[in-house]
Amino acid sequence: MRIEAMEVNTNKKDILKYILKKMPLMSRVLQFNMLIKDIHLEYVEIKVLSYEIISKERSIGIFRNKISTYKITMLVNTYNGYSESVNIIPSTISKYVDKSYIKRSKISEEYMVENVKCEIMGFLKNKKSKFEIEKVNLQDINIKEVKSIYKPYWVANFRGKNILIDA
């Protein structure tokens, strides 16, 4: 499957050193065999959601309303639901990845779009009351673009549990 993926910055040896460094010393001494098995790359789908926010600024006159539009870009991890606002979309490269190395998303796209929209509205209402901006009236939030990119993670099997580490 051809995907748009972020670049991998670490290799397998560095990940093994990182995991061993995080493991307590006594655990390494008491357990002479390595319990880390099957280190491989998996890709998690990240949705890039571009929203357009339309607001109307009230002025003193009746017909002097100024309409402003703002753009917000959100990145949503479809595996765990974590979302964040970004100014710059991460750079990607086009590459071929086997479907077995792509983690399935646990969140539907429609639910994700509406949930992030509600999150943005809640943030703006909270911001509005905090700074007492009474002249700005939020009109609408529209979705403009939905795009998928994939983020690589190193997956290591440690004592029967999978550990995800940024690649």
Side-chain angles (χ1 to χ4, degrees):
M1 178 176 175
R2 179 135 330 260
I3 61 172
E4 291 290 321
M6 295 181 213
E7 292 187 40
V8 178
N9 297 327
T10 57
N11 58 19
K12 206 175 205 178
K13 290 179 183 179
D14 292 339
I15 292 301
L16 187 59
K17 288 178 187 176
Y18 175 79
I19 293 171
L20 289 174
K21 186 172 70 173
K22 292 291 183 179
M23 192 183 304
L25 179 63
M26 286 305 293
S27 294
R28 284 186 276 172
V29 171
L30 293 175
Q31 302 162 354
F32 292 109
N33 56 350
M34 285 197 20
L35 299 173
I36 302 165
K37 301 174 187 171
D38 188 30
I39 299 175
H40 63 278
L41 270 175
E42 284 191 6
Y43 291 85
V44 174
E45 184 179 16
I46 305 289
K47 290 284 188 181
V48 179
L49 306 173
S50 298
Y51 287 94
E52 180 182 57
I53 300 172
I54 302 169
S55 65
K56 187 171 25 172
E57 186 176 329
R58 289 183 239 144
S59 61
I60 298 171
I62 298 172
F63 300 109
R64 296 182 187 158
N65 293 334
K66 180 183 173 187
I67 295 176
S68 302
T69 59
Y70 305 100
K71 295 186 181 184
I72 292 180
T73 304
M74 299 288 287
L75 296 181
V76 181
N77 186 330
T78 61
Y79 186 69
N80 61 9
Y82 177 76
S83 64
E84 66 178 328
S85 174
V86 294
N87 293 332
I88 300 170
I89 298 172
S91 61
T92 60
I93 55 173
S94 181
K95 67 188 300 185
Y96 179 80
V97 175
D98 192 9
K99 278 190 174 186
S100 63
Y101 292 116
I102 296 176
K103 282 195 155 299
R104 294 187 60 211
S105 64
K106 294 183 176 180
I107 305 169
S108 69
E109 187 172 321
E110 296 83 20
Y111 175 76
M112 184 183 341
V113 168
E114 289 302 315
N115 197 18
V116 171
K117 182 177 177 180
C118 291
E119 187 179 314
I120 291 171
M121 287 180 73
F123 178 75
L124 291 176
K125 285 180 184 176
N126 192 14
K127 198 91 157 145
K128 182 178 175 181
S129 65
K130 185 176 180 181
F131 294 109
E132 299 177 11
I133 302 172
E134 297 174 358
K135 294 185 177 183
V136 176
N137 186 14
L138 180 65
Q139 292 294 314
D140 199 13
I141 297 178
N142 299 321
I143 186 80
K144 288 297 177 184
E145 181 184 9
V146 178
K147 182 179 157 185
S148 292
I149 60 175
Y150 291 84
K151 184 173 182 178
Y153 286 94
W154 286 102
V155 178
N157 189 338
F158 181 68
R159 293 183 183 169
K161 295 179 184 177
N162 286 337
I163 302 170
L164 287 167
I165 302 168
D166 282 343

